[in-house]
Amino acid sequence: MSKSASSSRMPRAKGMDMASYWAPSECSRQVKRLVLSPLNRKIVEEFIAILGMREKFEKYEVSCPNKLLMYGPPGTGKTLTAFHVASRLELPLILVRLDSIIHSHLGETGSNIRKVFDYARAAPCVLFLDEFDAIARMRDNNDEVKEMSRVVNTLLQCLDEFNGNSLFMAATNLETELDHAVWRRFDTKIAYGMPDERTRAEYLHSLIGEFEREQEVVSAAHELMKECSYAEMEQIVTKAKRKAIMLDQPLMQEHLTEAFIEYVPGSAYARG
Ligand SMILES: Nc1ncnc2c1ncn2[C@@H]1O[C@H](COP(=O)(O)OP(=O)(O)O)[C@@H](O)[C@H]1O
Ligand SMILES: [Mg+2]
């Protein structure tokens, strides 16, 4: 996701130069396939279902969730989930570029955070902050304590005031560094992990199941990519497919092995 999502061809959100704007239809195009563990699938589906029946919740005076935190290793589907949620709820995704929010003058950073939240409040959308730890770090773990704590305080205020029909989604690979108060503000949290046997099989099947290939390629891929994230699997399989297409061959085990070695130069395969 990071490749295309950060692409500069994306239009800036109107009146907001710190984020890119993704219409719901563009979001659904980004999410060809999303493999989630059964638990995560359930959390995401429930989140979407609840927001699809707001009136019912209003009737019972039970609030709807609107803050979702995703954490876990890179390449496991956090950004993809943000696109998925926006697409399913038919909301635009406002993808904030963190480097544009963070300013050497931290006071400026705080006011940028406010601007972004104000923008999201003005019209229903999914506001998405990737690498969230960069602004939500614990208030007591660095030298710029005082200044940084002001940024976190601003963030906390924005989170508390965040209501209406927009959603806030954030992702981080460094969840242990998040400020505890920030952590508590999220009504929904999802832990992402590396693929297990089952999700790896499901993902590989969706990547190469339909592709012209030799029979044993799927099981070979399953074995070969045991340590890989989804993003890595996707890259390696794409590389392997390119080789097959170039050579006018069905996808074969050797294409995969070659692609793997090229992608992970230090691997046992490469050395052996
Ligand atoms: N759970 C997943 N299901 C399907 N594809 C995935 C998944 N995780 C990662 N990918 C693939 O890897 C790319 C990068 O994933 P991304 O969602 O950006 O990971 P993260 O945000 O967790 O670092 C995606 O565009 C997709 O091609
Ligand atoms: Mg990401």
Side-chain angles (χ1 to χ4, degrees):
M1 179 58 50
S2 44
K3 260 184 293 114
S4 40
S6 60
S7 144
S8 52
R9 80 185 161 73
M10 283 318 297
R12 295 277 162 82
K14 242 195 183 135
M16 157 66 62
D17 57 3
M18 292 177 281
S20 58
Y21 179 96
W22 296 73
S25 60
E26 295 170 315
C27 291
S28 58
R29 230 172 299 136
Q30 289 293 322
V31 195
K32 279 187 288 220
R33 48 179 91 83
L34 172 62
V35 176
L36 294 172
S37 70
L39 173 64
N40 288 359
R41 166 90 38 207
K42 184 165 177 288
I43 299 174
V44 170
E45 289 303 315
E46 199 173 283
F47 187 82
I48 293 169
I50 291 174
L51 293 165
M53 43 173 96
R54 280 185 186 278
E55 295 80 21
K56 194 167 179 181
F57 281 79
E58 276 158 23
K59 188 175 136 205
Y60 288 96
E61 296 182 359
V62 171
S63 63
C64 287
N66 69 350
K67 297 182 198 76
L68 198 163
L69 176 68
M70 301 171 285
Y71 62 94
T76 53
K78 299 181 293 299
T79 303
L80 206 55
T81 303
F83 279 87
H84 173 70
V85 168
S87 136
R88 288 280 302 279
L89 292 168
E90 294 183 2
L91 291 170
L93 183 82
I94 307 300
L95 197 148
V96 177
R97 292 185 303 109
L98 217 72
D99 57 339
S100 68
I101 279 205
I102 293 176
H103 201 275
S104 56
H105 180 1
L106 285 170
E108 196 71 32
T109 306
S111 93
N112 286 341
I113 292 174
R114 264 193 202 293
K115 276 186 204 151
V116 167
F117 274 86
D118 286 345
Y119 183 89
R121 246 202 310 249
C125 67
V126 175
L127 177 66
F128 176 51
L129 256 82
D130 213 346
E131 295 169 61
F132 187 55
D133 47 278
I135 57 162
R137 274 172 189 275
M138 269 178 282
R139 279 168 283 187
D140 52 8
N141 71 351
N142 58 27
D143 299 336
E144 313 136 21
V145 196
K146 275 225 179 84
E147 278 294 296
M148 192 60 194
S149 86
R150 255 180 244 144
V151 169
V152 174
N153 285 335
T154 304
L155 178 63
L156 286 170
Q157 271 171 21
C158 290
L159 288 172
D160 287 338
E161 292 161 9
F162 192 71
N163 49 27
N165 287 348
S166 290
L167 306 176
F168 179 63
M169 294 180 76
T172 177
N173 310 328
L174 301 169
E175 74 276 11
T176 52
E177 310 206 353
L178 286 196
D179 185 84
H180 298 294
V182 171
W183 173 266
R184 282 198 304 274
R185 292 309 195 275
F186 287 87
D187 48 60
T188 312
K189 300 181 189 75
I190 306 185
Y192 286 74
M194 297 295 270
D196 61 14
E197 292 272 315
R198 202 168 129 188
T199 50
R200 186 163 67 248
E202 185 184 339
Y203 190 56
L204 285 171
H205 186 79
S206 83
L207 284 179
I208 48 184
E210 306 280 294
F211 198 83
E212 194 189 337
R213 61 182 161 87
E214 286 188 340
Q215 206 55 38
E216 69 284 357
V217 163
V218 181
S219 55
H222 191 85
E223 195 53 35
L224 186 65
M225 292 190 269
K226 272 196 161 129
E227 315 271 303
C228 295
S229 69
Y230 297 94
E232 288 165 339
M233 284 197 269
E234 202 221 348
Q235 299 266 356
I236 292 164
V237 167
T238 301
K239 253 181 185 301
K241 282 180 179 171
R242 285 190 199 119
K243 291 178 190 291
I245 293 168
M246 208 176 64
L247 299 167
D248 260 326
Q249 290 171 339
L251 185 65
M252 297 191 286
Q253 196 170 331
E254 56 200 85
H255 300 141
L256 271 176
T257 313
E258 260 183 45
F260 183 89
I261 290 170
E262 288 167 18
Y263 189 78
V264 196
S267 68
Y269 266 91
R271 288 191 298 271

Coordinates of all heavy atoms in Angstrom, one line a residue, residues 1-2 74-75 77-80 128 130-131 171 173, ligand 2:
M1 N 0.8 -1.2 0.0 CA 0.0 0.0 0.0 C 0.9 1.3 0.0 O 0.6 2.2 -0.8 CB -0.9 0.0 1.2 CG -1.8 1.2 1.4 SD -2.9 1.5 0.0 CE -3.6 -0.2 -0.2
S2 N 1.9 1.2 0.8 CA 2.7 2.4 1.0 C 3.1 3.0 -0.4 O 3.1 4.2 -0.5 CB 3.9 2.2 1.9 OG 4.5 1.0 1.4
P74 N 5.2 -4.2 10.2 CA 5.0 -3.6 8.9 C 4.5 -4.7 7.9 O 4.8 -5.9 8.0 CB 6.3 -3.1 8.4 CG 7.3 -3.3 9.5 CD 6.6 -4.1 10.6
G75 N 3.7 -4.3 6.9 CA 3.3 -5.2 5.8 C 2.3 -6.2 6.2 O 2.2 -7.3 5.6
G77 N -1.1 -5.3 6.8 CA -2.5 -4.9 6.4 C -3.1 -3.8 7.2 O -4.3 -3.6 7.0
K78 N -2.4 -3.0 7.9 CA -3.0 -1.9 8.7 C -3.5 -0.8 7.7 O -4.7 -0.4 7.8 CB -2.0 -1.3 9.7 CG -1.5 -2.4 10.7 CD -0.5 -1.9 11.7 CE 0.8 -1.4 11.1 NZ 1.6 -2.5 10.5
T79 N -2.6 -0.3 6.9 CA -3.0 0.7 5.9 C -4.2 0.2 5.0 O -5.1 0.9 4.8 CB -1.8 1.2 5.1 OG1 -0.8 1.6 5.9 CG2 -2.2 2.3 4.1
L80 N -4.0 -1.0 4.6 CA -5.0 -1.6 3.7 C -6.4 -1.7 4.4 O -7.4 -1.4 3.8 CB -4.6 -3.1 3.4 CG -5.1 -3.7 2.1 CD1 -4.7 -2.8 0.9 CD2 -4.5 -5.1 1.9
F128 N -7.1 9.2 8.6 CA -6.1 8.2 8.8 C -4.7 8.7 9.1 O -4.1 9.4 8.2 CB -6.1 7.2 7.7 CG -5.1 6.1 7.8 CD1 -5.0 5.3 9.0 CD2 -4.1 5.8 6.8 CE1 -4.0 4.3 9.1 CE2 -3.2 4.8 6.9 CZ -3.1 4.1 8.1
D130 N -1.0 7.5 9.8 CA 0.0 6.3 9.8 C 1.2 6.7 10.6 O 1.4 7.9 10.9 CB 0.4 6.0 8.3 CG 0.7 4.6 8.1 OD1 0.8 3.8 9.1 OD2 0.8 4.2 7.0
E131 N 1.9 5.8 11.1 CA 3.1 6.0 11.9 C 2.7 7.0 13.1 O 3.4 7.9 13.4 CB 4.2 6.6 11.1 CG 4.8 5.7 10.1 CD 5.7 6.3 9.1 OE1 6.7 6.9 9.5 OE2 5.4 6.3 7.9
A171 N -2.4 4.0 12.8 CA -1.6 2.8 12.7 C -0.2 3.0 13.2 O 0.4 4.1 13.1 CB -1.5 2.3 11.3
N173 N 3.7 0.7 14.2 CA 4.5 -0.5 14.4 C 5.1 -0.5 15.8 O 5.8 -1.4 16.2 CB 5.7 -0.6 13.5 CG 5.3 -0.4 12.1 OD1 4.2 -0.7 11.7 ND2 6.2 0.2 11.3
Ligands
MG2 MG 1.1 1.1 6.6

